[in-house]
Structure formats: structure tokens, C-alpha cells
Amino acid sequence: MTTPNLSSPPASTQIRRSGRLIFVGLLALCLLFAIGYVQRSSDKAAVEAEIRALEAQIAQARQQQAVLQDELKTIEQPNAIDAAARNDLGLVQPGDQPIVVLVPPATATSAPVALPPAQPAAQWDWQRWLEDLWPAGEQ
């Protein structure tokens, strides 16, 4: 008969150790899976927030595009460029006779002009309206 090897543990102990090792390995795999899931969830939330921000920018750009298209339609009218040149830039066409108004600079020696005192109104506006609607002599 063979003599049992005293240096190796019994078979039941080896099974328990291998069972514990498998359990720890499975637990580590589950933990890695959970960590990966949480990380991917946070990445997904960040991407969704970025998508919402970009959609808001797109909506704003479309609104600005509509405003610019309206301005373009206004500018493309036949006399719009001429009117803008005259009104905004102060340009004149050949044959026009521009009038330039020069305001003399104020001098220190000129005395301020005294205005006559304002005459007080004899009646208030509502009193005049009342008399116009219902004259005093018709009662």
C-alpha cells in the first residue's frame, strides 16, 4: 500500500481552497464588470449632455440664419443698397446736390437768451374738453 504523503493537505481542504479561489475570482470579475458599467454610464451621460448642448447651438444657429436670410431679402431689393448708402454712409449719387448744415461753435461772450415767462394755462385740458362736450349754457 501506499503511504499518504504527509506534506500535502487532505483532498477536502484542497477542494475548499479551490472553491474559495474560484469564488474570489468570480467576485473580482463581477466587481470589474460593475466598475466598467458605472464608468460607461457616466461616459454616456457626458455624451448626452454634449449632444444637448450641440443641439441648442444648432437651434441658435438656425435662428440666426433665418434672421440673416431676412436681412438678405431686404438688401436684395432694388433700391435698398442706394438707400443704405445714402442714409447710413452719407454718400451721394452723381447729380445730387448735398446740403451741409454747419452749426457755429458756441462762444463764451454770448449771453444766454432769456425766454419770456410761460403764461399759466387758464384751464386744464380736461376742463376744456368737459366744456366742449357739455357747454355751460345748455343745462
Side-chain angles (χ1 to χ4, degrees):
M1 285 212 139
T2 60
T3 52
N5 188 356
L6 296 178
S7 63
S8 66
S12 62
T13 307
Q14 286 181 349
I15 292 174
R16 278 192 227 150
R17 282 186 186 169
S18 64
R20 286 180 189 165
L21 184 62
I22 291 173
F23 178 73
V24 169
L26 287 175
L27 186 63
L29 285 175
C30 288
L31 185 61
L32 287 174
F33 177 76
I35 290 171
Y37 178 78
V38 170
Q39 182 179 7
R40 287 189 181 178
S41 296
S42 64
D43 290 346
K44 180 184 175 193
V47 168
E48 287 175 350
E50 186 177 352
I51 288 172
R52 284 191 299 273
L54 291 174
E55 286 174 346
Q57 285 180 353
I58 289 171
Q60 184 179 10
R62 285 185 178 156
Q63 185 179 15
Q64 185 178 8
Q65 179 186 15
V67 169
L68 291 174
Q69 284 178 346
D70 289 342
E71 287 181 16
L72 183 62
K73 287 178 186 176
T74 303
I75 290 174
E76 288 177 344
Q77 293 178 355
N79 296 328
I81 295 175
D82 292 339
R86 290 174 186 241
N87 298 333
D88 298 339
L89 302 175
L91 300 177
V92 294
Q93 287 185 339
D96 287 349
Q97 294 181 358
I99 298 174
V100 179
V101 178
L102 299 176
V103 178
T107 60
T109 58
S110 65
V113 177
L115 296 175
Q119 303 251 340
Q123 293 178 328
W124 295 97
D125 286 337
W126 65 271
Q127 289 175 335
R128 277 189 251 142
W129 293 342
L130 187 63
E131 287 179 5
D132 288 342
L133 292 174
W134 294 285
E138 287 185 10
Q139 293 174 348

